[in-house]
Amino acid sequence: MEGLLESEAFRGMLETHPRGLVVMHLRSEVDRLRREIGRHSDPAAFPEEVEDPQLYATRVEDRLRVSTTPSLRAVINGTGVILHTNLGRAPLADCALDAMASVAHGYANLEYNLEEGGRGSRYDHCTALLRELTGAGGALVSNNGAAALVLVLRTLAFGRSVLVSRGELVEIGGGFRIPEILESAGAVLVEVGSTNRTRLDDYRTAAGRGELGMILKVHRSNFRITGFTEEASLEDLAALGAELEVPVVHDLGSGLMVDPERLGLPDEPRPTQSLAAGADVVAFSGDKLLGGPQAGIILGKAEWIAQMRKNPMCRAVRVDKTTLAGLEATLRLYRDPETALREIPVLAMLSATPDALRKRAEKLAANLSALGVTSAAVEMSSVVGGGTYPGVELESFGLLVESNEGGADAFAARLRGASVPLVGRVEDGALLIDLRTVLEWQDPVVLDLLSRYVGS
Ligand SMILES: *Cc1c(COP(=O)(O)O)cnc(C)c1O
């Protein structure tokens, strides 16, 4: 080991990496080689390999490269799935990034009242803005949508029954199932009606089972039921909740804050509408259609929000300063819907026209062809993703690129292995890059990656 470390082959490496790290990888490499030699009857089979320091240096360098590459890094999304949960959902607006960097770089008045020079509350940030934008009496931000729902249940229905339609006992993904969330929050699920039909009377009948805590309506955000169906309206449930003196909670999921018509999308319940329809509390995500950082947002009557703020669970799901800064900056953009559509990447991607995408695809294809890469600008369809707008397809444009080496799967794998990984999709043996989810400033990077990894 000492001899190797002192050799010329290791000099440069030891200048740029901590000695301990180089030693650790060299030890693993030496051990691996010992085991390899031990398995062979004739150790003389690799005399040169065992003695050449350069061989060890090359292998240790490979190991260093792997171990010094960050595990979490930026990737380019060419899949056409806008809210790709596996790829981190919503990319953020520039002003959100600036706000996050500014509070992360130093200290912040997270729990400090600057007027009084004393203790403040982190839960006061974003509250006035959320109330202004939605008309809610109170607002509370947690670290994600699931946490928001657990906090609501825990505070308003701990040890008591919660009425949920059998048609809304959904699984969102990532282990989030309504019956299990209720259980983990200490609430007792009372199933109402049937999978396809649940009427107001069914809720009334079920209300007699156990001590009632709340009525919960869950938006079927990621699937549809069609055919012989019926459900109680939020207005009717709100009236029943008032009569039975229990809160009616609407788990909305996606948190769309602009008119879906402006995006050319079908109707989707929005927080403001749910509150206007009489929901006492609504909960949704910050990083789905709202287009902000990962967060859970709870809106509702001030008295319920005050109770949630006091619940010990609130501390366990509390949001951090960078999220609050990013969320506040994103929410501010909603004061002018035009600005929101332009500045919030998720909304800009949703409203990108097929024509604009086609122009980008054609330009890239021309540039690729100049570099000797065979590609074509082709029509394709994107989806909203993130468990929203199931079945909705957005007409899009992108690139179809032919690999020069191996098939499309091998090409896709090489692109995933790049220092800035590009994730595309393989369809019918061809690699496709949907430009709807590629941010425009990434186009030159996409060009560079495709030409470098297409193979020779
Ligand atoms: C996505 C979703 C949630 C969970 O929100 P996360 O932010 O992913 O934790 C809860 N309810 C519904 C209806 C959803 O669509």
Side-chain angles (χ1 to χ4, degrees):
M1 290 274 295
E2 282 309 312
L4 285 169
L5 288 166
E6 273 161 30
S7 71
E8 183 59 32
F10 276 82
R11 183 156 307 148
M13 222 187 300
L14 286 166
E15 271 164 18
T16 48
H17 291 95
R19 190 179 171 87
L21 193 63
V22 176
V23 170
M24 179 183 90
H25 288 310
L26 177 59
R27 185 165 294 135
S28 310
E29 202 46 54
V30 168
D31 286 349
R32 199 188 60 79
L33 219 70
R34 274 207 190 104
R35 281 196 305 276
E36 214 172 284
I37 293 170
R39 273 200 301 274
H40 290 76
S41 50
D42 180 14
F46 355 58
E48 279 165 47
E49 197 175 49
V50 175
E51 272 156 34
D52 183 7
Q54 190 52 53
L55 176 112
Y56 291 87
T58 308
R59 292 194 179 176
V60 169
E61 251 160 18
D62 286 345
R63 284 174 183 262
L64 278 171
R65 196 169 313 117
V66 173
S67 79
T68 55
T69 301
S71 164
L72 178 63
R73 47 210 164 109
V75 310
I76 298 178
N77 178 6
T79 64
V81 182
I82 297 174
L83 294 167
H84 200 304
T85 301
N86 299 153
L87 298 183
R89 287 199 189 151
L92 299 177
D94 288 343
C95 63
L97 297 174
D98 291 345
M100 292 168 96
S102 136
V103 299
H105 200 225
Y107 296 93
N109 63 333
L110 179 63
E111 295 186 345
Y112 188 81
N113 184 323
L114 291 168
E115 257 167 55
E116 291 165 17
R119 196 183 164 80
S121 168
R122 78 176 60 219
Y123 302 113
D124 290 341
H125 305 289
C126 293
T127 299
L129 195 50
L130 281 166
R131 289 176 55 198
E132 173 197 316
L133 292 170
T134 64
L140 180 59
V141 181
S142 69
N143 59 17
N144 61 36
L149 191 59
V150 170
L151 178 58
V152 170
L153 288 162
R154 186 97 187 169
T155 308
L156 304 181
F158 184 71
R160 282 176 289 162
S161 53
V162 175
L163 307 186
V164 190
S165 161
R166 286 196 169 94
E168 297 171 6
L169 295 173
V170 308
E171 171 172 321
I172 308 301
F176 181 103
R177 288 176 159 180
I178 292 294
E180 287 159 20
I181 290 283
L182 257 75
E183 196 184 327
S184 75
V188 182
L189 170 64
V190 173
E191 298 182 16
V192 182
S194 65
T195 304
N196 54 331
R197 290 172 76 97
T198 305
R199 286 178 279 271
L200 188 65
D201 263 352
D202 297 324
Y203 284 92
R204 199 182 287 280
T205 311
R209 309 224 307 267
E211 191 198 340
L212 191 59
M214 75 161 71
I215 298 172
L216 174 64
K217 187 161 182 64
V218 183
H219 175 46
R220 283 188 288 260
S221 53
N222 59 358
F223 72 106
R224 287 215 192 109
I225 57 168
T226 56
F228 189 54
T229 62
E230 187 175 345
E231 66 180 304
S233 71
L234 196 53
E235 285 85 352
D236 286 348
L237 290 177
L240 181 64
E243 183 190 320
L244 299 171
E245 295 179 353
V246 292
V248 174
V249 175
H250 196 187
D251 177 18
L252 276 168
S254 40
L256 180 67
M257 301 266 281
V258 292
D259 186 344
E261 248 182 62
R262 304 185 77 126
L263 302 166
L265 287 170
D267 206 16
E268 166 83 13
R270 279 171 280 159
T272 313
Q273 294 175 319
S274 291
L275 292 168
D280 295 291
V281 173
V282 302
F284 51 96
S285 290
D287 57 351
K288 290 187 183 171
L289 290 170
L290 192 145
Q294 180 189 302
I297 296 164
I298 306 168
L299 303 176
K301 295 215 170 103
E303 55 179 299
W304 303 122
I305 299 290
Q307 281 186 35
M308 288 175 218
R309 270 173 71 150
K310 277 189 241 133
N311 192 295
M313 182 63 85
C314 190
R315 172 67 177 77
V317 299
R318 83 178 182 187
V319 62
D320 81 307
K321 64 176 179 176
T322 50
T323 302
L324 281 167
L327 183 62
E328 181 175 15
T330 307
L331 289 170
R332 272 169 187 277
L333 297 171
Y334 280 100
R335 281 180 164 153
D336 173 35
E338 287 302 329
T339 309
L341 290 185
R342 195 179 58 241
E343 304 282 327
I344 297 175
V346 167
L347 300 183
M349 285 176 185
L350 282 167
S351 48
T353 63
D355 202 41
L357 297 169
R358 182 177 48 78
K359 288 202 177 100
R360 280 171 62 198
E362 284 169 354
K363 188 172 162 206
L364 278 171
N367 289 337
L368 280 168
S369 132
L371 293 168
V373 179
T374 314
S375 72
V378 293
E379 202 178 328
M380 49 186 75
S381 56
S382 333
V383 298
V384 185
T388 64
Y389 280 114
V392 171
E393 293 192 347
L394 310 164
E395 186 191 340
S396 186
F397 271 89
L399 294 166
L400 184 154
V401 195
E402 274 171 36
S403 170
N404 290 342
E405 206 174 304
D409 286 317
F411 187 18
R414 289 197 295 277
L415 290 166
R416 289 197 307 272
S419 57
V420 180
L422 168 60
V423 184
R425 57 178 204 254
V426 173
E427 250 171 46
D428 301 325
L431 176 80
L432 300 180
I433 303 294
D434 188 331
L435 290 176
R436 187 183 289 277
T437 49
V438 174
L439 297 151
E440 208 165 337
W441 60 265
Q442 295 173 328
D443 282 1
V445 189
V446 168
L447 180 70
D448 175 57
L449 289 168
L450 290 172
S451 61
R452 253 193 306 143
Y453 290 92
V454 70
S456 44

